């Protein structure tokens, strides 16, 4: 999994800005609606709903808005909850980069048209179903940080890797990667089979870790190295444009580029 989290780290940094713009709630609200519709409105018995609610709270979305989305999903508010469907789209970016997109939409034609426009304006093209999907695999990912310890008036976060390894093995994880969270807080992403995600998250919580997020995520099986600065700029602008669409829940691509090239390209 080495190197996979580069774009994920950038998205974490952008999350606060997106929340201010109202983009995050538009996306998370649909995830809550779908989860409540398929598994019921009780988060204790619906892991998918529970993780969507956790994501909403992490983005600072008010409880009233969350409750409204749950009520809509369970049919208590009526509306168009039944018309929202999950669709996977596939395409190519500059240089033949493979791109996998997950969307929740109430209008397939609108979503496809928006995606096609985003691709064509930035050197890519929307492909047929199955054209790149075989290049990716899905994993469960638990993002965590250690429970803080008070030293005087300061909270100290210390992540011991041997303890994380032991907890990960007990939770039947496949691997983990150490990351740096906001404010230089140490954290980790722990990877597992999708069917084991709920169990892993619970084991890590029981071991005293603060679980920030549990989610299913796509990972490329191979990567395309981007070294040309112009192509790098075009690729990152395409990723931004796709993720900015209200119907899009996630975007995964199999590109890789040096950190310094990515930093310059995002200016």
């Amino acid at each position: 999994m080495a190197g996979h989290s580069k774009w994920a780290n950038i998205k974490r940094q952008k999350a606060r800005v997106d929340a201010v713009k109202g983009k995050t709630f538009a996306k998370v609200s649909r995830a809550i609606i779908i989860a409540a519709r398929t598994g019921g409105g009780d988060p204790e018995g619906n892991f998918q709903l529970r993780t969507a609610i956790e994501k909403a709270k992490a983005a600072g979305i008010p409880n009233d808005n969350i409750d409204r989305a749950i009520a809509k999903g369970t049919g208590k508010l009526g509306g168009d909850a039944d018309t929202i469907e999950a669709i996977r789209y596939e395409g190519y970016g500059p240089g033949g980069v493979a791109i996998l997109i997950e969307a929740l939409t109430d209008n397939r034609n609108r979503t496809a048209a928006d995606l096609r426009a985003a691709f064509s304006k930035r050197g890519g093209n929307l492909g047929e179903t199955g054209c790149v999907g075989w290049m990716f695999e899905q994993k469960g990912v638990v993002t965590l940080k250690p429970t803080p310890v008070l030293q005087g008036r300061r909270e100290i976060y210390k992540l011991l890797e041997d303890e994380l390894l032991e907890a990960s093995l007990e939770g039947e994880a496949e691997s983990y990667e150490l990351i740096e969270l906001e404010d230089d807080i140490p954290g980790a992403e722990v990877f597992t089979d999708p069917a084991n995600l709920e169990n892993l998250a619970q084991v890590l919580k029981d071991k005293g870790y603060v679980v920030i997020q549990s989610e299913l995520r796509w990972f490329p099986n191979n990567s395309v190295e981007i070294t040309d600065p112009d192509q790098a700029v075009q690729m990152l602008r395409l990723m931004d444009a796709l993720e900015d669409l209200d119907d899009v829940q996630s975007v995964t691509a199999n590109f890789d580029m040096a950190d310094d090239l990515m930093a310059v390209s995002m200016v």
Side-chain angles (χ1 to χ4, degrees):
M1 296 294 179
H4 77 276
S5 61
K6 195 175 293 183
W7 184 251
N9 289 339
I10 291 172
K11 289 193 289 185
R12 263 196 299 275
Q13 294 167 15
K14 291 171 55 184
R16 296 189 307 278
V17 177
D18 288 345
V20 171
K21 294 178 181 177
K23 294 177 182 176
T24 297
F25 180 65
K27 296 174 184 288
V28 176
S29 175
R30 292 187 184 184
I32 292 173
I33 290 170
I34 289 288
R37 188 180 77 190
T38 57
D42 180 10
E44 290 301 316
N46 185 341
F47 179 67
Q48 183 184 357
L49 176 60
R50 191 159 71 246
T51 56
I53 292 173
E54 288 172 356
K55 185 178 291 188
K57 289 184 175 179
I61 295 169
N63 288 335
D64 286 349
N65 291 10
I66 295 172
D67 292 340
R68 197 174 302 118
I70 294 172
K72 191 171 184 179
T74 54
K76 294 180 180 178
L77 291 182
D80 57 357
D82 289 341
T83 67
I84 299 175
E85 56 181 331
I87 308 177
R88 189 179 306 150
Y89 295 90
E90 303 172 32
Y92 297 95
V97 170
I99 302 177
L100 194 68
I101 301 159
E102 289 190 316
L104 293 176
T105 179
D106 57 2
N107 187 321
R108 283 181 174 226
N109 293 334
R110 179 195 65 225
T111 304
D114 289 346
L115 288 170
R116 193 171 290 110
F119 271 105
S120 62
K121 290 177 181 177
R122 295 164 183 87
N125 63 282
L126 186 63
E128 299 294 328
T129 301
C131 66
V132 301
W134 56 275
M135 300 183 192
F136 298 83
E137 64 176 329
Q138 195 175 45
K139 295 291 182 184
V141 185
V142 178
T143 305
L144 59 79
K145 64 181 179 181
T147 300
V149 177
L150 279 177
Q151 287 190 2
R153 295 182 179 180
R154 293 182 60 199
E155 288 187 337
I156 304 298
Y157 292 86
K158 191 172 184 180
L159 187 63
L160 301 177
E161 192 167 355
D162 55 344
E163 293 181 359
L164 175 62
L165 174 59
E166 183 180 341
S168 299
L169 290 173
E170 186 172 328
E172 301 179 54
E174 296 177 356
S175 61
Y176 65 83
E177 183 173 327
L178 301 180
I179 61 174
E180 190 174 280
L181 301 169
E182 185 183 350
D183 297 328
D184 298 327
I185 294 173
E189 289 185 330
V190 188
F191 310 101
T192 188
D193 182 87
N196 185 53
L197 180 58
E198 183 173 5
N199 170 64
L200 175 61
Q202 189 58 55
V203 169
L204 293 171
K205 285 180 181 178
D206 292 343
K207 290 294 183 178
Y209 293 99
V210 178
V211 171
I212 300 170
Q213 181 172 276
S214 303
E215 63 178 342
L216 296 176
R217 197 187 298 170
W218 291 96
F219 294 89
N221 291 317
N222 54 62
S223 62
V224 175
E225 182 73 20
I226 296 179
T227 57
D228 179 73
D230 291 337
Q231 193 176 86
V233 170
Q234 199 173 32
M235 185 69 237
L236 294 177
R237 285 179 177 172
L238 173 57
M239 294 290 285
D240 268 335
L242 293 172
E243 291 199 328
D244 278 347
L245 297 175
D246 286 343
D247 295 339
V248 171
Q249 290 287 304
S250 69
V251 183
T252 307
N254 72 338
F255 73 89
D256 196 10
M257 66 178 71
D259 289 339
D260 56 347
L261 180 58
M262 180 171 284
V264 171
S265 300
M266 294 190 68
V267 174

